């Protein structure tokens, strides 16, 4: 296990899609750091910048790995160059907490906010007009790896999957009083975590249930890399799951 030298709680993190071992973190005080992690060595800080708005936000790398984006709760999206730390910014709309941020292959950023808005920047935040579409308020969102599907969760356990034109393709519901957590395995499997029942349920692209897994701890966050699902749990070590079958890989 590697411990980063950060005095404040980390509230977001994103691995660089191109450079192995390069991790960006956002701390609660607004500090954004880029680290080079190597086995058996102390983390090396490659870049340290500060978000203009402290607090929770969403991070995402642009596909080329040379730019890091942050969507803050004030409605501003910022992009920093990894080479020189120069910041570009674009105002996307009124303040709201960003629950998901996706960088498309054309370097356009897509952000989903708690107020139900889905906002798009211009390419690389160059001069241009950002766009937005409005839905009912949401509690969670997740883009599939290609960005062709967007899953959003609403209050009451309702969730829905949209295509790349943001048309609803199917809907579902988990009977719960807690906000859901969403994650994608490739573009074919949506995984829904219910905090109150402590279960993970996987659905195919038509809404059919693929598998269901009961957990002991309460799931708080999920992340998929290749063929492994990591489930972050409150006061527990991460749990690792095979996202194709729901088989428990490790619980320690």
């Amino acid at each position: 296990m590697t411990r980063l030298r950060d005095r404040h709680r980390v509230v977001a993190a994103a691995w660089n899609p191109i450079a192995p071992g390069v991790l960006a973190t956002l701390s609660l005080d607004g500090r954004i750091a880029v680290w080079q992690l190597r086995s058996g060595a102390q983390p090396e800080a490659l870049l340290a910048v500060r978000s203009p708005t402290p607090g929770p936000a969403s991070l995402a790398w642009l596909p080329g790995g040379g730019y890091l984006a942050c969507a803050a709760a004030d409605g501003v999206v910022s992009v920093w160059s990894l080479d020189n730390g120069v910041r570009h910014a674009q105002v996307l709309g009124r303040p709201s907490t960003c629950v998901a941020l996706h960088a498309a292959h054309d370097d356009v950023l897509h952000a989903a906010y708690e107020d139900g808005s889905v906002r798009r920047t211009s390419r690389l935040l160059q001069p241009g007009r950002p766009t937005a579409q409005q839905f009912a308020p949401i509690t969670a969102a997740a883009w599939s790896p290609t960005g062709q599907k967007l899953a959003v969760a609403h209050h009451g356990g309702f969730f829905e999957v949209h295509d790349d034109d943001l048309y609803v393709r199917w809907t579902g519901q988990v009977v719960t009083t807690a906000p859901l957590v969403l994650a994608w395995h490739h573009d074919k499997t949506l995984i829904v975590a219910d905090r109150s029942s402590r279960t993970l349920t996987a659905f195919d692209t038509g809404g059919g249930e693929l598998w269901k897994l009961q957990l002991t701890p309460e799931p708080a966050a999920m992340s998929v890399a290749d063929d492994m699902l990591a489930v972050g749990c409150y006061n527990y070590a991460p749990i690792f799951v095979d996202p194709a079958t729901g088989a428990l890989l490790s619980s320690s």
Side-chain angles (χ1 to χ4, degrees), residues 29 103 115 193 196 230 232 252:
D29 67 341
D115 64 3
S196 61
S252 59

Side-chain angles (χ1 to χ4, degrees), residues 104-150:
H105 290 293
D106 57 1
D107 290 333
V108 172
L109 290 161
H110 303 246
Y113 291 83
E114 283 186 346
D115 64 3
S117 61
V118 177
R119 312 173 192 178
R120 296 183 179 92
T121 68
S122 59
R123 185 177 181 273
L124 268 178
L125 276 64
Q126 296 303 308
R129 185 176 182 179
T131 61
Q133 289 182 254
Q134 188 70 42
F135 303 109
I138 61 178
T139 57
W143 269 276
S144 65
T146 64
Q148 295 180 351
K149 297 181 178 70
L150 169 65

